[in-house]
Amino acid sequence: MQHNMEPDRVMAATSSTGSDSQSMDQKTTAQWARVRARLRAEFGETAYRSWLKPLTLESLSGNTAQMTVPTRFMKNWIETQYKDRLLALWSNENAQVTDISISHSGSRQAKKTVVVEPSILSDKIDEERTPSAMELSAPLDDRFTFDRFVVGKPNELAFAAARRIGEGESVPFNPLFLFGGVGLGKTHLMHSIAWNIRQTSPEKKVLYLSAEKFMYQFIRALRYKDTMAFKEQFRSVDVLMIDDVQFIAGKESTQEEFFHTFNALVDQNRQVIISADKSPAELDGIEERMKSRLGWGLVAEIHSTTYELRLGILQSKAEQLSIHIPAKVLEFLAHKITSNIRELEGALNRLVAYSSLVGRDVSLETAQEVLHDLLRANDRRITIEEIQKRVAEHYSIKLSEMHSARRSRAIARPRQVAMYLAKQLTSRSLPEIGRKFGGRDHTTVMHAVRKIDELRQSDSSFSEDVDLLRRMLEG
C-alpha cells in the first residue's frame, strides 16, 4: 500500500479523544517550522530528506506532540536515532511539550497487523510492501540542470564527463567517480545527469540516492529477511547514482553488498556514478578492493573555486533571479566568500531577500552590513601559507624548507606537522595540500597525517606542542 504524503505539511488533527487534544494554531505551526529548520541544520540535508522531512505533526495532545511517518521502519529508526534531539528542540520551542509520540501512517489503515515483541520482530515478515527501485530514488531538484551549472577550470573535467554520460547512449567509462569538498557542485552534476537521462531516454531506470539511504534499505532487508528483493531493486536499474559514498566507511556488511551490486551492474554494462568528499584512494574505512573498483573508470575531482568561477556563478544566479546587482557588489562577494558555491549563492539570496523586504537598493554598503557575520567568518579562514609560516617560526626553520626536498628529521618533522594541520584546519584536498608543499604527491600527505597521529598518541609532549600550534592558528 502506498501512502502519498506531503512530508513538510503540518496537518490539523481532528481528535476523538475529547478536551485533551489541542488543535494547532499559527503559533504551533510556526514552532514546528522552526524545529524542522533546526533539524535540517543540525543533521544535514541528506539525513533530513531521508528521515526527518517525512515527519508530520498531527496534533499537540496534553503535553505530547503526536507525529506520524509513512512506514514502521522509518518510525523505529527515528525513535532510536533522532527522538531525543527532536524532543529537546520541541521543548525549547514549547515548554509544555514533554513527550513525543511517533506512529506510522500504515498503522491506521484497515489491514491485518501482526503484533510481536521487539526482540523477535526480526523473525517476522514485514507486512509493508517493499518499495520499487524507482520509489527509492530521491527527488531531483529542478534547479540542478546542466544549463545552470557554471563551468570553469576547477570543474571542467567533471562537467564534461557528466554531460557525456547524460547525453550518450553508450557507457564511455564506468564508474564515474566525482569527488571534492562540500558545496562545490557534485550533487548538482548528479542531478543534472539524472534529469538528462530521464528526458532523453525515459525508458531507462535511473536510481539516485545517498549512500546513507542505501545502507538503511540494506539494514531493512536484513531485518525483515528480504535481501532477495533488495538485490532485485538495485540490480535491475540502468543507471545507479550513489551520493556521498564515504558514509559507508567502516560499515563492512553494507560495503560487501554494495561491492556485489557494483560488480553486477558493471558486468551488465549498466552505468554507475559515485560521489564522495575524497578520491577513492583517500577514503578511510573503505576496503582496498572497493577502492580499486571505484577507481576503475574515470575519477574526476572538482577543485576549489577560483575568483573567475565564483564571479561567473554570481552573475548567472543574478540573471536567474531577474535582478540587477551592481558589478562591484558581485566582485566584492567573489573576492570575500571563497569557501564553497553553496555559501556563495546563499549570501546572494540573503542580500536579495533583504533588499526586497526592506526596500533598499543593493549596494556595497548594504552587502557589508547584511553579510557581516559571513564575511567575518571567511576573513578568519586559515590558509596553508599561514600554517606553513607559523609552523616554520615555531620550529625555527626557514619557510622555504616547507617546499624543499630535504629529508632530515629537523626539517621533515615540522613539514609533516604543517601538512597535518593543513588537513585538519582547511578544506583543501590531499592533492591540493601536496602541491602547496613543493608539488608533493597526495600519498606523502597521507603518510604525514598518519605519522603525526601516531606520534601524538605515543608522545604527550609532542601532542601538546601540536595542540598549541593549532590554538595559535585558530585564535
Side-chain angles (χ1 to χ4, degrees), residues 339-402:
S339 52
N340 61 62
I341 297 168
R342 196 175 298 158
E343 197 169 84
L344 188 68
E345 291 186 342
L348 184 62
N349 288 336
R350 188 164 149 190
L351 188 58
V352 169
Y354 177 85
S355 173
S356 173
L357 293 170
V358 178
R360 287 177 58 181
D361 291 335
V362 176
S363 65
L364 198 55
E365 292 72 25
T366 305
Q368 290 172 319
E369 177 185 339
V370 174
L371 304 173
H372 64 93
D373 58 326
L374 192 57
L375 296 172
R376 188 166 61 247
N378 276 269
D379 285 341
R380 287 202 306 269
R381 194 158 275 113
I382 301 166
T383 65
I384 292 177
E385 290 78 10
E386 183 183 353
I387 292 170
Q388 291 173 333
K389 182 180 178 182
R390 179 73 72 174
V391 173
E393 290 174 352
H394 183 77
Y395 287 102
S396 300
I397 65 172
K398 295 178 181 178
L399 181 59
S400 60
E401 300 291 7
M402 289 290 168

Side-chain angles (χ1 to χ4, degrees), residues 382-395 397-399 401-403 411-426 433-434 436-437 444-445 448-449 452 462 466 469-470 473:
I382 301 166
T383 65
I384 292 177
E385 290 78 10
E386 183 183 353
I387 292 170
Q388 291 173 333
K389 182 180 178 182
R390 179 73 72 174
V391 173
E393 290 174 352
H394 183 77
Y395 287 102
I397 65 172
K398 295 178 181 178
L399 181 59
E401 300 291 7
M402 289 290 168
H403 312 91
I411 302 300
R413 186 69 76 234
R415 189 190 296 134
Q416 288 177 329
V417 170
M419 289 180 182
Y420 173 84
L421 290 171
K423 176 68 169 62
Q424 299 296 318
L425 300 178
T426 76
I433 294 172
K436 293 287 187 178
F437 285 83
T444 303
V445 184
V449 171
I452 298 304
F462 177 78
V466 175
L469 276 167
R470 180 169 185 155
L473 286 161

Side-chain angles (χ1 to χ4, degrees), residues 25-48:
D25 52 17
Q26 287 186 335
K27 182 179 178 182
T28 304
T29 302
Q31 290 171 350
W32 176 222
R34 288 192 292 271
V35 169
R36 286 203 312 271
R38 287 292 302 277
L39 289 169
R40 188 178 219 147
E42 290 184 18
F43 292 105
E45 191 64 27
T46 300
Y48 176 78

Side-chain angles (χ1 to χ4, degrees), residues 171-293:
V171 180
F173 26 75
N174 210 5
L176 170 62
F177 189 99
L178 303 171
F179 77 97
V182 175
L184 295 181
K186 301 186 298 296
T187 299
H188 188 143
L189 283 178
M190 295 186 82
H191 281 228
S192 299
I193 293 171
W195 278 124
N196 237 56
I197 293 175
R198 288 181 178 181
Q199 289 169 4
T200 58
S201 306
E203 75 284 357
K204 287 188 175 181
K205 294 181 181 178
V206 180
L207 175 55
Y208 165 76
L209 74 166
S210 66
E212 182 184 35
K213 191 168 183 180
F214 178 90
M215 185 192 75
Y216 294 150
Q217 289 299 324
F218 179 55
I219 292 171
R220 179 188 186 281
L222 290 176
R223 181 174 185 179
Y224 296 115
K225 301 186 182 299
D226 201 17
T227 54
M228 291 306 297
F230 174 87
K231 292 177 189 294
E232 177 62 25
Q233 284 173 334
F234 286 91
R235 300 182 192 188
S236 63
V237 300
D238 297 295
V239 181
L240 176 63
M241 312 175 74
I242 302 290
D243 213 350
D244 293 322
V245 78
Q246 71 273 2
F247 184 83
I248 64 173
K251 299 170 176 67
E252 295 179 5
S253 297
T254 304
Q255 283 187 46
E256 179 78 17
E257 182 57 37
F258 180 71
F259 179 79
H260 293 306
T261 298
F262 177 95
N263 285 339
L265 289 172
V266 172
D267 288 346
Q268 298 173 51
N269 209 33
R270 310 287 179 86
Q271 182 69 53
V272 179
I273 304 158
I274 309 291
S275 83
D277 60 351
K278 301 173 185 174
S279 73
E282 298 167 3
L283 289 171
D284 296 327
I286 299 291
E287 295 177 4
E288 287 302 319
R289 62 174 182 168
M290 177 61 73
K291 291 181 182 180
S292 174
R293 291 299 175 94

Side-chain angles (χ1 to χ4, degrees), residues 81-186:
Q81 301 294 321
Y82 302 108
K83 187 175 179 180
D84 290 344
R85 187 56 186 154
L86 185 58
L87 178 58
L89 292 175
W90 255 118
S91 298
N92 286 340
E93 289 292 336
N94 187 335
Q96 293 181 349
V97 177
T98 58
D99 189 24
I100 289 175
S101 173
I102 301 174
S103 61
H104 65 93
S105 55
S107 65
R108 295 177 302 181
Q109 305 300 316
K111 66 178 183 179
K112 182 180 177 182
T113 304
V114 178
V115 180
V116 294
E117 291 298 319
S119 60
I120 61 171
L121 185 59
S122 59
D123 295 329
K124 302 297 180 181
I125 298 175
D126 180 29
E127 295 184 330
E128 296 171 2
R129 180 180 62 82
T130 300
S132 69
M134 294 306 95
E135 290 170 333
L136 287 177
S137 192
L140 299 177
D141 193 323
D142 57 11
R143 298 170 301 167
F144 291 167
T145 56
F146 284 128
D147 59 354
R148 288 192 173 186
F149 190 88
V150 180
V151 185
K153 192 169 183 180
N155 59 28
E156 59 185 358
L157 173 60
F159 175 81
R163 188 101 196 201
R164 175 83 178 272
I165 290 175
E167 295 179 345
E169 288 296 322
S170 61
V171 180
F173 26 75
N174 210 5
L176 170 62
F177 189 99
L178 303 171
F179 77 97
V182 175
L184 295 181
K186 301 186 298 296

